[in-house]
Amino acid sequence: LRFLGHPLRALLSDLQRHRALMRATDAAIASASKQCSHFPIRAIVRAVAENLQTSRVTARDISSFVHDRVVRHPQLVAIGRHKDYAHFASRSTIDAERALLTDAARLSMSRAHTVCERTLSAVVGKHSGLTSEQVAALRHITRADGDVALLSGRAGTGKTHLLAAAREAWTKEGF
């Protein structure tokens, strides 16, 4: 059988390949968007190639289709290049990050959750195992200007113990 001069079987095969590419690409985009805040286009190409490795879709077709689909995808935004690969993020991730930064900026100007010195001293006295560095960090996150503070440290350095003391101080203050 022929359709417009082409064998019907070949046209059906092309349509099946196109549908398989579409499904695999959309699944890879959805998975990458859920797992990462941003991702390189090569991650999508790799996921689609792995998904379609037993099909008769060539690597060139996969790469071409994925590049076209990702660039034109209505829910993806190109955010730059890294190591010669275009990186993308979902619009929902960009919106969430923008909202988070707006909230952080607003909270950095607030002193609504500052703990008084008397409460802090009582909590420090109760948690006698805190090191001087932990006490300084506790003071920083409960008494410093702004309701946003960063606490970082290596594994096993007592961040969780410190945060338990901070939680107790905030709870005593009614927060």
Side-chain angles (χ1 to χ4, degrees), residues 57-78:
V57 182
T58 67
R60 177 176 284 148
D61 288 345
I62 290 171
S63 182
S64 174
F65 184 90
V66 169
H67 279 81
D68 186 57
R69 179 79 175 140
V70 168
V71 168
R72 296 173 190 253
H73 199 285
Q75 295 303 315
L76 297 179
V77 177

Side-chain angles (χ1 to χ4, degrees), residues 100-143:
L100 183 64
L101 289 172
T102 299
D103 288 346
R106 181 180 47 79
L107 289 170
S108 71
M109 304 309 237
S110 171
R111 290 191 49 104
H113 297 95
T114 302
V115 173
C116 76
E117 184 60 43
R118 195 170 86 200
T119 300
L120 187 60
S121 294
V123 169
V124 168
K126 186 176 173 189
H127 292 265
S128 59
L130 293 172
T131 67
S132 60
E133 191 175 50
Q134 287 172 316
V135 171
L138 178 61
R139 186 174 299 323
H140 171 72
I141 66 173
T142 60
R143 300 231 352 112

Side-chain angles (χ1 to χ4, degrees), residues 134 137-138 140-141 149-153 158-160 162-163:
Q134 287 172 316
L138 178 61
H140 171 72
I141 66 173
L150 175 66
L151 175 65
S152 67
K159 296 178 300 295
T160 302
L162 163 66
L163 288 174

Side-chain angles (χ1 to χ4, degrees), residues 50-95:
E50 288 171 358
N51 187 307
L52 298 177
Q53 62 186 334
T54 60
S55 70
R56 294 184 177 190
V57 182
T58 67
R60 177 176 284 148
D61 288 345
I62 290 171
S63 182
S64 174
F65 184 90
V66 169
H67 279 81
D68 186 57
R69 179 79 175 140
V70 168
V71 168
R72 296 173 190 253
H73 199 285
Q75 295 303 315
L76 297 179
V77 177
I79 59 170
R81 296 184 73 77
H82 179 67
K83 295 183 180 177
D84 288 334
Y85 291 100
H87 279 244
F88 293 83
S90 69
R91 290 192 188 283
S92 61
T93 296
I94 301 260
D95 292 344

